[in-house]
Amino acid sequence: QVQLQESGPGLVKPSETLSLTCDVSGVPISTHDWWTWVRQPPGKELEWIGEIHHSGNIDNYHPSLKSRVSISVDNSRNQVSLKVNSVTAADTAIYYCAMASHYRIDLWGQGTLATVSS
Amino acid sequence: QSALTQPASVSGSPGQSITISCTGTSSDVGSYNYVSWHQHLPGKAPKLLIYDVSNRPSGVSDRFSGSKSGNTASLTISGLQPEDEGVYHCYSYTSTTAYVFGGGTKVTV
């Protein structure tokens, strides 16, 4: 059974970097095309952050976040990571790791709440 | 890229059918047959229900069906059951941001 489990610090100070990890179990990362991060701020709609190919060679990001976001894969640890730089309160959200292919999201993690506050 | 438009809530009685709409634009829903729906039950990870407008992944009940007309996609839940209570999101592939999501519809049985 494939499972995705996000983890992170929970609380980050403004202007700092938010770092989240997604542990993938039940399948090697290399067996699925795209690994994606999506977030949902409180009371707002879901927002696609970006994606990375399992090879780590191709990534795509939401235009509004591209300058502050990076996604990486670690095939040896079977992990996908997300970094968001220079965070503000607007980055407070539930962050979801997801497995995607063929223009759809096949599997989601349960999400982890990241709060930006001093 | 604007979010897709969904009704905030839909309710129905057990056994009834309900339909949730998802309205986008000619840049997303209207241009691609890559509309998906997922179900988000309390305390659980979101689950893919429908992909490519009307296809169900293995294991998803045939009570769930999808369709599309123009810029609007729809999810129909037939034979509504109490365990269907939750939030349903639509999303579409777009050429600019990969995916654009609806605001979610809370289904009450």
Side-chain angles (χ1 to χ4, degrees):
Chain A
Q1 182 183 359
V2 183
Q3 287 188 317
L4 311 179
Q5 182 64 59
E6 306 90 343
S7 61
L11 181 64
V12 183
K13 289 182 169 52
S15 80
E16 294 188 343
T17 296
L18 168 65
S19 295
L20 299 175
T21 299
C22 174
D23 287 301
V24 180
S25 59
V27 67
I29 284 180
S30 58
T31 62
H32 218 78
D33 285 341
W34 294 97
W35 297 89
T36 296
W37 286 91
V38 177
R39 70 182 184 179
Q40 185 169 30
K44 296 189 176 182
E45 66 268 10
L46 292 159
E47 177 182 46
W48 178 77
I49 298 171
E51 62 185 0
I52 189 166
H53 189 260
H54 67 80
S55 66
N57 294 332
I58 308 170
D59 54 16
N60 301 295
Y61 300 103
H62 194 293
S64 69
L65 297 171
K66 189 172 184 176
S67 63
R68 299 192 297 123
V69 168
S70 67
I71 298 174
S72 59
V73 291
D74 185 332
N75 283 280
S76 64
R77 295 186 176 184
N78 229 37
Q79 289 179 336
V80 185
S81 296
L82 169 71
K83 290 187 188 302
V84 183
N85 301 321
S86 305
V87 297
T88 69
D91 294 308
T92 293
I94 297 174
Y95 285 77
Y96 295 95
C97 170
M99 189 172 80
S101 67
H102 304 292
Y103 311 111
R104 68 179 184 263
I105 295 175
D106 294 301
L107 187 71
W108 298 73
Q110 288 211 328
T112 186
L113 175 63
T115 302
V116 179
S117 175
S118 55
Chain B
Q1 188 77 34
S2 300
L4 307 180
T5 300
Q6 296 181 237
S9 63
V10 173
S11 63
S13 301
Q16 285 186 333
S17 292
I18 61 170
T19 296
I20 303 169
S21 61
C22 170
T23 301
T25 69
S26 57
S27 296
D28 38 66
V29 175
S31 286
Y32 303 97
N33 286 325
Y34 298 133
V35 178
S36 301
W37 293 85
H38 75 245
Q39 174 193 60
H40 197 172
L41 301 180
K44 296 192 174 182
K47 173 188 173 184
L48 178 64
L49 283 183
I50 297 287
Y51 67 94
D52 295 352
V53 175
S54 59
N55 293 314
R56 278 187 308 275
S58 173
V60 172
S61 170
D62 59 5
R63 296 188 301 106
F64 297 96
S65 61
S67 63
K68 189 185 91 166
S69 177
N71 295 336
T72 298
S74 299
L75 173 72
T76 297
I77 307 176
S78 305
L80 202 58
Q81 298 179 2
E83 56 264 35
D84 296 332
E85 279 205 346
V87 178
Y88 293 77
H89 283 97
C90 65
Y91 54 101
S92 172
Y93 176 78
T94 85
S95 59
T96 52
T97 62
Y99 300 99
V100 61
F101 293 88
T105 298
K106 182 179 171 76
V107 169
T108 303
V109 181

